[in-house]
Amino acid sequence: FFFTLFHSNDDPIPCTTMQCTLLALFALIVGTEALVTRQSLRMGLSVGQTFPADALKKWGCSGVPAVVYFYGADESPSCTKQASAFSESMDDFNALNVKVVGVRNQKGVKPRFAEKYGQTFVVDEGDEVRDSIGIKKDFFGALGGRETYVVDREGVVTFVFNDQFKAGDHAVKALVAAEALPPPPATAMARGVPPSLQIQAFTVLQPLVLAVLAVAVLNQAIAVNFKL
């Protein structure tokens, strides 16, 4: 394939060195893209699994719904785009009481990067958490996988997204998943007492209310008799 080209009548002719080189390069690019695509679909934790509790506690996410996204390094173009996308949606995440945490290793930290965005950034020392949950690397191990998790208050994963190239989509998809999380118990109660509980409360309080009224009427009657 790399050493012959074909006319419309399928007669093979030798290709030039430049043509062979271009064909080989094209095949390499296509093959690499296919491999990277397959790797991008390999994710660490799955929906329904529990995120490491020690990591959530250390990063201030214990007992609260959170978005935890792993990326490569501060200031790199795609990682900056990802952080900016989350920053633009922070009002929506805050309204949902969902914490957003960006995670990179110590080599990926750049001065003053975290100060530019309204979210929490933490360091995964030695990629300990990343490796423990099994986030695969991209580009033959040259880049750490770009992976985003949404976890509920119990630390259970409700959403996973992995894509090295669509950095901005991580925030968009994470927000949709965060909106699907159940509200906290306090919020649910604030929306109104369920009718079943209202009936139970009335059933319990009714005898007490009648007793208080009876005592009040009796006291009134006694007071009237004393006056007479």
Side-chain angles (χ1 to χ4, degrees):
F1 174 77
F2 296 123
F3 299 99
T4 60
L5 292 175
F6 294 88
H7 290 302
S8 59
N9 60 2
D10 294 337
D11 292 331
I13 63 171
C15 71
T16 65
T17 301
M18 179 60 71
Q19 289 171 333
C20 291
T21 301
L22 291 175
L23 286 171
L25 182 59
F26 175 75
L28 179 61
I29 292 174
V30 172
T32 301
E33 182 180 1
L35 178 60
V36 171
T37 301
R38 286 196 299 270
Q39 286 187 336
S40 68
L41 296 177
R42 284 188 267 165
M43 294 175 278
L45 297 175
S46 300
V47 172
Q49 292 185 306
T50 302
F51 200 92
D54 291 342
L56 291 178
K57 182 177 181 180
K58 182 178 180 180
W59 297 340
C61 302
S62 182
V64 298
V67 175
V68 181
Y69 70 95
F70 291 81
Y71 66 99
D74 297 348
E75 303 293 357
S76 67
S78 56
C79 296
T80 299
K81 181 178 180 180
Q82 184 177 12
S84 297
F86 274 107
S87 183
E88 292 171 0
S89 299
M90 281 309 301
D91 287 343
D92 295 319
F93 284 111
N94 289 334
L96 296 170
N97 294 316
V98 173
K99 186 168 185 176
V100 177
V101 178
V103 185
R104 76 282 204 222
N105 62 24
Q106 61 270 37
K107 294 181 180 179
V109 178
K110 299 295 187 296
R112 293 180 295 279
F113 176 81
E115 300 172 4
K116 302 176 184 178
Y117 306 100
Q119 54 198 272
T120 301
F121 290 92
V122 298
V123 175
D124 182 16
E125 297 287 347
D127 288 327
E128 180 181 359
V129 179
R130 176 187 286 270
D131 292 340
S132 70
I133 63 181
I135 299 178
K136 303 297 181 182
K137 294 184 177 181
D138 296 325
F139 288 108
F140 307 102
L143 292 177
R146 188 184 307 280
E147 192 150 300
T148 296
Y149 294 94
V150 176
V151 299
D152 63 14
R153 292 168 188 79
E154 305 300 324
V156 177
V157 176
T158 64
F159 171 79
V160 189
F161 181 63
N162 183 309
D163 198 304
Q164 187 68 246
F165 304 104
K166 299 178 181 178
D169 286 1
H170 285 253
V172 175
K173 293 180 180 295
L175 179 58
V176 173
E179 291 173 340
L181 290 171
T187 303
M189 290 300 295
R191 294 177 178 176
V193 179
S196 59
L197 292 182
Q198 295 179 11
I199 295 174
Q200 292 178 12
F202 178 77
T203 303
V204 172
L205 294 177
Q206 184 181 24
L208 179 60
V209 172
L210 293 176
V212 171
L213 290 175
V215 170
V217 171
L218 180 60
N219 288 336
Q220 184 67 25
I222 293 175
V224 171
N225 290 331
F226 272 119
K227 288 182 180 180
L228 294 177

